[in-house]
Amino acid sequence: MKSHAKAVVIGGGVVGCSVLYHLAKAGWTDIMLIERSELTSGSSWHAAGGFHTLNGDPNVAKLQAYTVQLYKEIEEISGQSCSLHLTGGVMMADTPERMDFLRLAHAKGRYLGMDTELITPSEAKAMFPLMDETNFVGAMWDPVEGHLDPSGTTHAYAKAARKLGAEIVLRNRVVELTQEVDGTWNVVTEQGTVKAEHVVNCGGLWAREIGRMVGVELPVLAMEHMYLLTEPMPEVEEFNKSTGREMIGVLDFKGEIYTRQERNGILLGTYEKACKPWSPVNTPWDFGHELLQPDIDRIAPSLEIGFKHFPGIEKAGIKQIINGPFTFALDGNPLVGPVQGLTNFWCACAVMAGFSQGGGVGLALSNWMVHGDPGFDVWGMDVARFGEWATLRYTNAKVRENYSRRFSIRFPNEELPAARPAQTTPLYDTMLANNAVMGDSWGLETPLWFAPKGSEPKDIVSFHRSNDFGPIGEEVRATRERVGVTEIANFAKYEVSGPGAEDFLNRLMTNRMPKSGRIVLTPMLNEFGRLIGDFTIAKAGPSGGEDRFMIWGSSAAQKYHMRWFEKHLPKDGSVRIHRFDQTLVGLSIAGPKSRDLLQKLVDVDISTKAFRFMDFREMAVGGAPCMVNRITYTGDLGYEIWMAPAYQRLVYNAIKEAGEEFGLVDFGMRALLSMRLEKNFPTWFRELRPIYGPFEGSMDRFIKLEKNDFIGREAAAKEQAEGPKLRRVSFIVDAADADVMGDEPIWAKVGGKDYGTVEKPHGYGAPRFDAGGNEVRGSNAAEGASAVRGIVDGDWRVVGWVTSGGYAHYVEKSMAQGYVPAALAENESAGLFEVEILGHRRPARINVEPPFDPSGEKMRT
Ligand SMILES: Cc1cc2nc3c(=O)[nH]c(=O)nc-3n(C[C@H](O)[C@H](O)[C@H](O)COP(=O)(O)OP(=O)(O)OC[C@H]3O[C@@H](n4cnc5c(N)ncnc54)[C@H](O)[C@@H]3O)c2cc1C
């Protein structure tokens, strides 16, 4: 074993081997993988080996598609077969709601170039005759699904990596990790110490323990998982013989079941409701190539549904039940990337679908390590997406919830209950008493909307407009016409101070920093000129003679942004950065009467001239020391008021009392988001993400290329000079009873013109076939299915995608934001665009100016 390496990858499961392969392929050959036992000694060896491309996050779906396409490459390089069976598969819907879910997934697939198709239950049965199709209302066919040999695949990655120069050390446990002052890692193993520049945690079942070696509690938990294998079945053999094909994979939402052919029999796995964590606190180091005791009682309810839906399987004898552990993060997606607060410590763990995702994870992580950027939008699997609140017990509750709902629909207005409430503000009980429906905002309870007195404060979950529609409309109208108050504790808040603060922020941000007492809005870019942040920054009065800036940003991006800030902090200590989290909370008042209301609570002049739009001031509000921004996300006259939690009740009560004469209402986060829509304001992680440039994001006025050499300036200048390829636009949609939720395709009537924004189908997948084994192309016969398959329909073409939207209550319009080719972005013509909502293409029109207060006069008065 060598004593030095550029990077050490810990763990020889499918993920570690993929990371090793991708690092070697990217040109880092001075790398080694250290494995405690043999390759595949964690969860990889007993996997069912299924793979698919579908994922709730389109960006993760893209990486899954990459993984599947990669298998041929590693087979060729390594000479090792993965035993790939590209059979295709179907997802079966048993209710109209599940069919809506499939329509959404199918529509999303369009701009990803996925070749899915909505089909009837009978068409699905033709490819998997063991089902009773009368249990289902429809299905979605995905040609890029199948199964492989987990061990062969892991070894194929490993052999390919070795061929490219990587070293693999087996039977050698990493027992300790320490870091030198210069950043070098000491990887202490049973066979000695390796000095490494970078360490990657691919510990799978032991990833949590490896995290603890460096003082980090990763939100990952292993769950027991069972699948059964039947004896050979004559029906299967007969089907193979008569059609010349293998049976396809089937996913049954109702039963939380997946099933497929395995040799001459069937494999059937369950995500049972009564799920069980494995080793919830510590994973034993001596756990090896072992299986856990099957517990048939636990999966009996799922099997009961399974045998009803697939009666052909019930008759078969069960040959074996496999029960093995594998890991999950809170939302079921992996934990990938550099860990905030550490240098050159990387994660690629909690990969619950290693054979769908392992390749994509390896590619993104190796890009990140070698080139400084993952090269894709990997927010959906970024290790920074969870905060300190994701403790061991929180993780346990959330992972169990996620596992038991693995194939359940998550409605766009659905809040999940496990591990809540976690964090609350001092107003939590008051908000409940006000009949607030609360939501989870990065671990913090936040009012979403207020149910009418006497009614139960609860969402009726739906893909369509629901019971919050009326009350949110009331909140919006009262705020727009009088005044409203809302909690904004869930914003991220930071303070940057020190003699170097202004230079530091000027280097990071695209806009000029404000003068004392003023506010600016500013994006932040990475070196490649892509959007990685969007902030409100105020310059506070100097403290102890030093500059002090207050920064507000996206709540969910706190660790993501801290990681970036810390990476760029000057080494001389001239800049300090502090994240407040919930040690600073806030309230926002907005609407034409908000100034009159605030004036009653302060002892200084806040008239238009004395306290201008985009001013910042420290002042007492209702007797409490506060910071006040004259700005609001509603895009109206309004204020954000920030205070220590100990003062929040005092300020809120004062606002409520003073507001009575103005007809003050409480409004929630959903009303706030509705109001921002009618101002065409973007949101971080929806409209603004690292896949877009600042001019694509239509953030032009905040990009000051001439100010100084900020990070990403050169790339932004290039984007401006060449012209952005895409533009963010706002649409008014002729919707019926459902608004957009995000990720819907945008169609345009562009004739034969190809604007080149949508990826072409990858053309890699199994053909769909009928009961006779003949290939079928694109009938889309399912009831209510879109008649169109793919991304072109006559003169119409998918040219972009929706990022977010909803109903803009004050202007009474359904609105959507999204990206389209720049050449189309200013075309307000009717009849040019359609947005596909739940399988129905609805007319849509670009609205260049915001429909509410287009001149911005109201917010400036
Ligand atoms: C029953 C079952 C069915 C499944 N079915 C599927 C499926 O159909 N499709 C699919 O995609 N996925 C499936 N999975 C999940 C799949 O197995 C995992 O996604 C995958 O194995 C994760 O791989 P990994 O490399 O992250 O972790 P692991 O396979 O757990 O590998 C981690 C490795 O790290 C090593 N290690 C840990 N700590 C140290 C240390 N300190 N020093 C040195 N080495 C260390 C371990 O020995 C181990 O080999 C299934 C899992 C189970 C249990």
Side-chain angles (χ1 to χ4, degrees), residues 622-637:
C626 293
M627 290 180 270
V628 183
N629 294 341
R630 221 210 99 174
I631 188 171
T632 155
Y633 198 39
T634 66
D636 215 323
L637 173 67

Side-chain angles (χ1 to χ4, degrees), residues 2-8 30-32 185 194-198:
K2 56 186 182 185
S3 57
H4 288 76
K6 188 158 182 75
V8 167
D30 178 19
I31 52 176
M32 64 200 293
W185 285 101
V194 184
K195 297 230 173 251
E197 252 176 70
H198 300 263

Side-chain angles (χ1 to χ4, degrees), residues 140-159:
M140 186 174 84
W141 160 252
D142 180 0
V144 191
E145 268 193 47
H147 57 101
L148 44 65
D149 167 24
S151 172
T153 302
T154 308
H155 280 93
Y157 277 123
K159 281 184 186 165

Side-chain angles (χ1 to χ4, degrees), residues 523-751:
M524 182 166 79
L525 305 179
N526 63 15
E527 292 90 344
F528 308 94
R530 306 271 103 183
L531 286 163
I532 56 164
D534 183 38
F535 301 99
T536 301
I537 301 187
K539 187 169 185 182
S543 159
E546 284 187 349
D547 281 346
R548 196 161 60 90
F549 292 87
M550 288 297 303
I551 305 184
W552 291 269
S554 160
S555 158
Q558 294 186 43
K559 289 217 146 194
Y560 174 88
H561 284 144
M562 279 303 283
R563 187 171 64 193
W564 187 260
F565 294 154
E566 284 169 357
K567 184 173 168 189
H568 294 281
L569 272 181
K571 303 272 177 282
D572 61 6
S574 61
V575 181
R576 289 181 303 279
I577 180 146
H578 173 66
R579 172 163 75 97
F580 288 92
D581 208 357
Q582 291 313 312
T583 60
L584 188 68
V585 294
L587 291 163
S588 174
I589 54 171
K593 293 288 175 202
S594 56
R595 178 166 31 230
D596 297 342
L597 192 163
L598 187 64
Q599 187 65 78
K600 285 174 70 181
L601 301 177
V602 299
D603 304 310
V604 292
D605 179 9
I606 56 161
S607 60
T608 310
K609 279 199 182 134
F611 194 42
R612 297 161 300 167
F613 177 59
M614 303 286 273
D615 267 356
F616 165 90
R617 189 83 58 78
E618 292 180 78
M619 59 175 94
V621 179
C626 293
M627 290 180 270
V628 183
N629 294 341
R630 221 210 99 174
I631 188 171
T632 155
Y633 198 39
T634 66
D636 215 323
L637 173 67
Y639 306 85
E640 289 173 355
I641 308 167
W642 302 96
M643 72 287 298
Y647 290 111
Q648 199 193 21
R649 288 165 71 106
L650 176 68
V651 178
Y652 177 75
N653 291 339
I655 289 173
K656 287 291 274 191
E657 202 185 313
E660 222 165 278
E661 68 169 285
F662 304 110
L664 173 81
V665 293
D666 285 289
F667 67 97
M669 207 41 62
R670 289 190 188 157
L672 182 65
L673 291 174
S674 167
M675 287 187 267
R676 71 93 194 180
L677 275 179
E678 52 203 22
K679 285 294 294 179
N680 291 1
F681 287 167
T683 51
W684 180 249
F685 281 138
R686 279 306 203 160
E687 284 69 43
L688 308 178
R689 293 185 69 125
I691 41 179
Y692 307 119
F695 297 100
E696 289 185 327
S698 302
M699 305 295 279
D700 310 31
R701 68 182 193 279
F702 307 118
I703 315 300
K704 302 285 162 33
L705 292 171
E706 67 291 351
K707 73 168 181 119
N708 66 305
D709 188 17
F710 57 86
I711 295 173
R713 182 180 163 277
E714 210 175 303
K718 187 161 178 271
E719 187 197 342
Q720 191 190 40
E722 290 174 359
K725 290 193 178 64
L726 303 172
R727 281 297 252 185
R728 173 176 64 87
V729 291
S730 263
F731 287 98
I732 291 177
V733 187
D734 183 8
D737 67 336
D739 304 298
V740 299
M741 294 154 233
D743 295 329
E744 291 84 355
I746 299 169
W747 292 82
K749 195 173 181 183
V750 291

Side-chain angles (χ1 to χ4, degrees), residues 10-17 34-51 172-175 202-207 210 213 223 225-227 258 260 271 285 322-327 348-357:
I10 307 174
V14 63
V15 175
C17 292
I34 302 182
E35 164 56 45
R36 183 187 63 102
S37 177
E38 306 295 332
L39 295 181
T40 77
S41 291
S43 52
S44 294
W45 72 277
H46 50 237
F51 60 79
N172 185 26
R173 180 156 72 89
V174 172
V175 291
C202 296
L205 295 175
W206 296 267
I210 293 172
M213 290 180 193
M223 299 294 290
H225 181 69
M226 280 179 267
Y227 64 85
Y258 59 90
R260 65 165 170 85
Y271 282 86
W285 286 110
I322 307 280
N323 184 10
F326 67 124
T327 53
C349 54
V351 184
M352 64 77 51
F355 299 94
S356 298
Q357 301 176 330

Side-chain angles (χ1 to χ4, degrees), residues 424-476:
T424 55
T425 69
L427 288 180
Y428 178 64
D429 295 328
T430 309
M431 291 299 154
L432 291 185
N434 290 351
N435 230 17
V437 177
M438 304 298 281
D440 169 15
S441 173
W442 214 60
L444 177 74
E445 293 297 316
T446 303
L448 299 176
W449 60 284
F450 292 84
K453 291 244 163 354
S455 67
E456 193 187 356
K458 196 174 170 216
D459 276 311
I460 297 174
V461 295
S462 174
F463 288 117
H464 299 254
R465 291 177 192 156
S466 189
N467 60 325
D468 59 347
F469 190 81
I472 293 175
E474 299 281 316
E475 291 169 26
V476 167

Side-chain angles (χ1 to χ4, degrees), residues 19-35:
V19 169
L20 191 74
Y21 167 69
H22 282 94
L23 282 175
K25 191 176 163 190
W28 280 19
T29 46
D30 178 19
I31 52 176
M32 64 200 293
L33 181 149
I34 302 182
E35 164 56 45

Side-chain angles (χ1 to χ4, degrees), residues 43 58 167 173 200 207 228 246 283-284 341 482 591 629 678 711 776:
S43 52
E167 182 180 339
R173 180 156 72 89
V200 191
L228 59 83
E246 195 176 345
T283 311
R482 304 192 304 269
N629 294 341
E678 52 203 22
I711 295 173
V776 182

